[in-house]
Each structure stands twice: as C-alpha cells, then as structure tokens.
Amino acid sequence: MAIIKATENDKQEFDSAINELKEYFSSLAVRKGRPLTYNVLTYGCQLNESDSEKLSGMLSSMGLIQSEGGELDAADVIAFNTCSIRENADRHLFGNLGVFKALKKNDRDVIIAVGGCMMKVPENVDRIKKSYPYVDLVFDPQQIHKFPVLLRDAIRKDKQLVNIAADDYIAEDSFFPIDRKRKFRALVPIMYGCNNFCTYCIVPYARGRERSRSFDEIVRELSDLAANGYKEIMLLGQNVNSYKGEDGKTFADILRAASDFKEFSRVRFMSSHPKDLSDEVIDIMGTRPNVEKHLHLAMQSGSDKVLKEMNRPYTIDRFLEISEKFRTKVEGGSLTTDIIVGFPGETEEDFQATLDAVNKAKFDAAFTFQYSARPGTKAAAFENQIPQDVVTERFGRLTELTNKYSEESNKNLVGKTLEVLIEGISKAGDMTFSGRTITNHLVNFTIPEELGIDPGDDFLEGKLCEVRIDRARPYSVDGVLVSMKGE
Ligand code: SAH
Ligand code: SF4
Ligand code: F3S
C-alpha cells in the first residue's frame, strides 16, 4: 500500500471545493431564510476527535455554524465520524442513521455524510449502499483532506457517492482549518496508522500503515499553539512512541520539543505501545515538570500464551519490568492500562494470570473490555471463542479488582494539596469544577465564596490552581480550591 503525501495540487483542489461549497450554502441559506448548521457526531478515540475538529473546521469555512443541541440534533449537514473498535460502536451508527431518515425525507437539501473507521470495513459500506440510500456521502477516514472535494461532488451528482480508497495518505495539520473543541487543549496528531496487527484489532485495517508527520511541521504547529494561548498539548498516535521523523527524530525528541515551550502547563500523549517505550521517554517524564506524569500502557492480558496469540510482542514479565521502571523513575506517577477479557482460548488459568498481573502492577486506572470479534481480523476466525456468560463473569471479577486499585490510587491523594489544570464546570452541572492533576487524576472541586472568584466566568478554563483533596471516589476525587496559580 502506497503512502502519499498531500500535495500543493490537493490543497488547491481543497480550497476551490471549499469556495464553491461556500457559495452553494450561502444561496441555500438565502432560499431557506436562515443560517445553515452542521453537526459532526464523533465516536471512538482521540484520533477521531482530532479528525472531527478538522471536519468542523472545514464545515465552518463553508459558512455553516455548529448546531448547539445534543448529539442527535438536526442540521443541514450531518457528518458521522465512526469507530469500529468493538461491536457496540457499530450499532451506534446504524441506530442513529435511522433517526435522521425522516429529516432527510422532509428536506432533500439536508446532507448526510459518513466517514471514520467503520467505513474501512466493506460489510458496513455495503449495508449503507443497500439499506441507507439517503446517505449522500461515504468518505475515507485516511483521506479526510478530500472531504470538501467529495462533498462538492456528491452535491453535484445528487446521488450517493462512496469513496473509499486503498492508499494511505498523510496530510499535515497545516493543510486544514481546525476548529479546536477546547480553547485550552490542542490535540496534535504526530503519527497515523498502526503496523502491529494485534490479532483482535481493526485499527491497522481502518487506519492503514504507520506514517509520521514532519518534525519541523509539528514544532511549527506547537509554536503557533503556544502563541495562541493553548495550555495543554495532547500528542496523538495509535503508537505515539513509534514516531519516526526526518533525520532520525524520535518520539523523545518531540516530547522534549513540546515541553520546551514553557507556555504549555501540560504535555500529554496517547497511546504508547510497550515494545516502543524507550528509557529516554521515561526519563523525560520523570524530569520535565510540564510533562504529564502519567503513562497509559496497554497490557491486554497477563498470560504469555494469550499475549502471543494476540500478537503482542512482550511477555508479562517484560511488561511488569517496564511498569516497575516507570514507578521508580517517575515519582508519584500514575500508570493506566487497557485489558481485554475473553480473548479466544483464554482459560481460567490465563485469566488468573491477568488478575495476578493487575495485583502486581496496581494500575491507577484500567479500561477493561470484553473481547469483541471484528470481521476481517485474525482472531475473529480463531476457534475457541469464549461463551458470553464466561466473559461476563470474568469481566465482573476483573473490574472489581481494577476498581479497587483505582480507588486506592485516589485515596492516596486525600489530604494533599495538588496542582490542577481547570477543564471547566463539572458534568454534574452544580457549579462544581473539574480538572486534572499532572498524574491525570480527575478532580471535582468547589470554589469557596471568600476567595472572591467569579465561578460563572469561563476564564477559569485552562488555568492552574491548587486544590485540597478531601474525598476519594472510585473514578475521581473531590476537593476545595485553595488558590489560583499566577500566570
Ligand atoms: N494502539 C493502542 C490501542 C488502541 S485501541 C494500544 O495498542 O495501546 C484501545 C483498546 O481497545 C485496546 O488497547 C484494546 O484493549 C481494546 N480493543 C481493541 N480491539 C478490541 C476488540 N476487538 N475487542 C475488545 N477490545 C478491543
Ligand atoms: Fe490495535 Fe494493536 Fe495497533 Fe493498538 S497496537 S492499534 S491494539 S493493532
Ligand atoms: Fe475507533 Fe478508529 Fe479510534 S476504530 S478507537 S476511531 S482509530
């Protein structure tokens, strides 16, 4: 499969499609007598979040405004950015597409576009072709820089347009207008795709081969972000630490370059693969104050046999050795993981090995998943698929154990006063604020009136403050603001 860099030619086509669509939508708005809106529905991981910021940026450049209602809000352009990591992710799309059928029936000008990882699974595209004729456009998640051109063509053609290509593209972020969702946090993809082919995983099929952005371009983007007031940088990639830039630049070089910008209070990254995690990266995490002291490292299983079947190239001893190194070198750091339960052939003994490994690693948090067979992956064809009741029972035991350790991790914070980066009003909607520590612990806190801070003002977002932690919950801690930190 070829990897093609988006060219100046692509950029010209991109700009001209955006201009044409701007004119088209502007006359449609006159005809409708109101401004036109868009709704981008995002599923899946932060790479999809990042792509959606680009889709939103493109749609804004076409003169549309973001709809303000909930997820299923009606809009003039509805774009689905799908995820295919587990089966229930797929169900979301088809359920929600049905919701928009009536909308499209009443208004032929409404446009429905579907992209994202699900569209790299041929069965899903066939199903849209067959049963969802009112979808106007199916676009390739590896070629979102072609979105405006395809959207224009779909409108011109007035018939369903499906464009899924075999090539892996790379387009620098500077190619796109980007509407960043949070004014303090910037998602910065540094590499795309995955070469690891874990046997259960759809990502290498959906996202193609690994391709890294240019080091110089990334640093230029970081410098713009610093100048524009961003406080938190999230470096993204399916295997962020297998980044390979020009002149032998590595992920450690990117991490150092990002943390050199003192404007950034937090430099974070997702996701690391155990095989690519260098000592250098651990050293940087232990020594640079604005680099997050949090490592997310997927273990997947505690059994060497299962790891081998999963095509994860490490033993559990090696994994625990890396965890130990992190714990020693990054004082007070937090370690989180992903674990799959019920992989084909997993015996009770294998599962016990996973519980043992959790007891050793004492993860500060864990995302636990029930194995979901993905069409097209190797493991989907394995014999010995585990019956659902066994999976459910093991899953219950595992989450009980991982919850115990995450609550313990939260309890260790009680009584301490910690630096928190404020993310905004907490979801509870009761004027409680939320933010994160440098170890990525979620903190909900109140602001005492006597501090004279106007909590209604969103100027707090992205600021650093000190919070005294006084209560631990399973997934978060509660506290009280002590003081704001100076700029
Ligand atoms: N590249 C990242 C993982 C991205 S996917 C890494 O390797 O760390 C996020 C998580 O989803 C994986 O770590 C895995 O635990 C889970 N996952 C992936 N495919 C799955 C499947 N078919 N069934 C259940 N969980 C799955
Ligand atoms: Fe999937 Fe494995 Fe690649 Fe992670 S490393 S995205 S789990 S194939
Ligand atoms: Fe899902 Fe694709 Fe991300 S499958 S998890 S959206 S890379």
Side-chain angles (χ1 to χ4, degrees):
M1 227 187 277
I3 292 177
I4 300 170
K5 207 168 156 38
T7 60
E8 199 44 46
N9 233 352
D10 292 319
K11 180 71 180 143
Q12 276 170 15
E13 248 195 312
F14 178 92
D15 289 340
S16 108
I18 287 196
N19 284 333
E20 204 175 304
L21 286 164
K22 203 169 165 182
E23 273 179 37
Y24 168 79
F25 287 126
S26 127
S27 56
L28 189 60
V30 170
R31 184 144 57 81
K32 294 197 178 246
R34 59 170 176 80
L36 301 189
T37 55
Y38 70 84
N39 182 4
V40 178
L41 292 90
T42 313
Y43 307 92
C45 63
Q46 273 152 329
L47 281 160
N48 258 16
E49 296 279 347
S50 165
D51 282 349
S52 285
E53 290 186 342
K54 290 172 185 157
L55 289 168
S56 298
M58 294 182 235
L59 290 161
S60 300
S61 307
M62 296 168 197
L64 304 174
I65 47 180
Q66 188 157 16
S67 66
E68 300 218 317
E71 189 196 353
L72 295 177
D73 211 20
D76 297 286
V77 176
I78 294 156
F80 286 87
N81 193 4
T82 63
C83 167
S84 199
I85 199 83
R86 283 169 291 274
E87 197 185 346
N88 51 7
D90 287 9
R91 279 199 214 110
H92 266 301
L93 171 71
F94 292 110
N96 289 345
L97 268 181
V99 174
F100 290 111
K101 187 176 180 178
L103 178 74
K104 177 85 191 182
K105 212 168 169 192
N106 290 334
D107 182 354
R108 269 190 54 86
D109 294 319
V110 165
I111 292 163
I112 300 178
V114 185
C117 294
M118 270 180 79
M119 297 304 101
K120 296 300 262 191
V121 178
E123 287 88 331
N124 293 329
V125 176
D126 290 344
R127 190 162 162 196
I128 290 188
K129 283 186 188 157
K130 202 164 145 240
S131 309
Y132 300 84
Y134 54 89
V135 168
D136 300 276
L137 171 64
V138 174
F139 63 100
D140 194 310
Q142 265 139 251
Q143 304 197 6
I144 60 159
H145 64 293
K146 292 225 168 126
F147 177 72
V149 174
L150 297 171
L151 185 62
R152 179 198 62 195
D153 293 350
I155 292 171
R156 276 188 190 160
K157 194 172 150 201
D158 199 21
K159 226 172 100 196
Q160 189 173 79
L161 177 67
V162 175
N163 191 290
I164 299 298
D167 295 324
D168 296 333
Y169 268 71
I170 183 149
E172 289 292 344
D173 277 18
S174 56
F175 195 98
F176 301 94
I178 304 178
D179 259 5
R180 299 199 188 267
K181 215 166 136 194
R182 308 299 292 263
K183 65 173 192 185
F184 67 92
R185 173 187 296 153
L187 305 179
V188 180
I190 62 165
M191 58 85 68
Y192 297 93
C194 179
N195 290 350
N196 292 324
F197 287 94
C198 302
T199 52
Y200 50 82
C201 185
I202 196 76
V203 171
Y205 305 92
R207 290 284 169 164
R209 297 295 64 72
E210 287 178 7
R211 49 221 190 269
S212 297
R213 287 180 57 199
S214 136
F215 181 83
D216 290 345
E217 276 274 351
I218 295 167
V219 174
R220 197 170 311 141
E221 182 176 359
L222 293 172
S223 155
D224 283 352
L225 292 167
N228 284 309
Y230 285 91
K231 298 294 175 208
E232 181 178 307
I233 295 300
M234 181 66 133
L235 302 167
L236 294 179
Q238 281 304 345
N239 302 287
V240 83
N241 47 4
S242 68
Y243 173 85
K244 290 178 191 67
E246 59 270 34
D247 309 325
K249 290 280 196 292
T250 63
F251 176 61
D253 294 316
I254 299 261
L255 200 52
R256 253 191 307 264
S259 84
D260 279 343
F261 289 97
K262 296 301 162 230
E263 294 88 338
F264 301 147
S265 322
R266 300 278 166 84
V267 177
R268 305 171 58 185
F269 58 92
M270 273 289 248
S271 302
S272 320
H273 192 293
K275 84 172 164 44
D276 297 315
L277 185 72
S278 65
D279 289 353
E280 205 182 351
V281 167
I282 297 183
D283 283 340
I284 295 172
M285 296 176 87
T287 50
R288 298 235 170 180
N290 63 350
V291 175
E292 183 179 58
K293 296 194 186 322
H294 163 224
L295 179 65
H296 184 77
L297 202 60
M299 177 177 91
Q300 312 299 8
S301 167
S303 149
D304 285 341
K305 183 198 95 195
V306 173
L307 286 170
K308 199 156 186 240
E309 297 273 296
M310 286 177 162
N311 196 27
R312 300 284 291 184
Y314 50 86
T315 60
I316 192 61
D317 284 349
R318 172 77 188 126
F319 182 90
L320 293 170
E321 199 182 295
I322 304 170
S323 324
E324 246 338 280
K325 197 179 281 170
F326 171 77
R327 297 275 194 211
T328 322
K329 295 227 164 174
V330 185
E331 218 190 312
S334 71
L335 179 69
T336 61
T337 200
D338 295 343
I339 302 171
I340 298 177
V341 180
F343 185 79
E346 182 190 74
T347 60
E348 178 58 27
E349 200 187 340
D350 294 321
F351 177 66
Q352 282 298 336
T354 297
L355 297 179
D356 287 349
V358 169
N359 281 322
K360 286 184 184 141
K362 301 185 170 56
F363 298 109
D364 295 85
F367 295 99
T368 49
F369 304 105
Q370 302 190 15
Y371 168 74
S372 168
R374 308 316 292 128
T377 61
K378 268 197 182 157
F382 286 178
E383 283 167 12
N384 308 324
Q385 301 281 330
I386 309 292
Q388 184 56 46
D389 56 332
V390 177
V391 179
T392 311
E393 193 275 330
R394 286 182 191 160
F395 184 74
R397 275 189 283 160
L398 176 65
T399 42
E400 198 178 311
L401 189 63
T402 55
N403 284 349
K404 183 186 106 177
Y405 286 112
S406 52
E407 194 158 0
E408 235 165 61
S409 166
N410 288 336
K411 276 189 186 145
N412 284 336
L413 304 185
V414 173
K416 294 186 175 154
T417 297
L418 300 172
E419 186 189 84
V420 168
L421 187 131
I422 305 177
E423 299 194 343
I425 303 257
S426 85
K427 286 202 181 112
D430 54 359
M431 294 312 272
T432 309
F433 287 78
S434 69
R436 281 173 197 275
T437 63
I438 192 92
T439 52
N440 201 37
H441 283 88
L442 178 62
V443 181
N444 292 310
F445 60 96
T446 51
I447 303 184
E449 248 174 61
E450 58 271 25
L451 292 182
I453 296 166
D454 175 5
D457 206 326
D458 70 1
F459 81 97
L460 288 174
E461 261 189 49
K463 292 263 160 69
L464 290 175
C465 65
E466 296 279 339
V467 174
R468 196 194 62 238
I469 310 298
D470 43 36
R471 182 178 168 176
R473 295 181 186 267
Y475 305 109
S476 61
V477 293
D478 294 346
V480 178
L481 187 128
V482 174
S483 61
M484 295 300 296
K485 291 195 90 171
E487 290 284 78

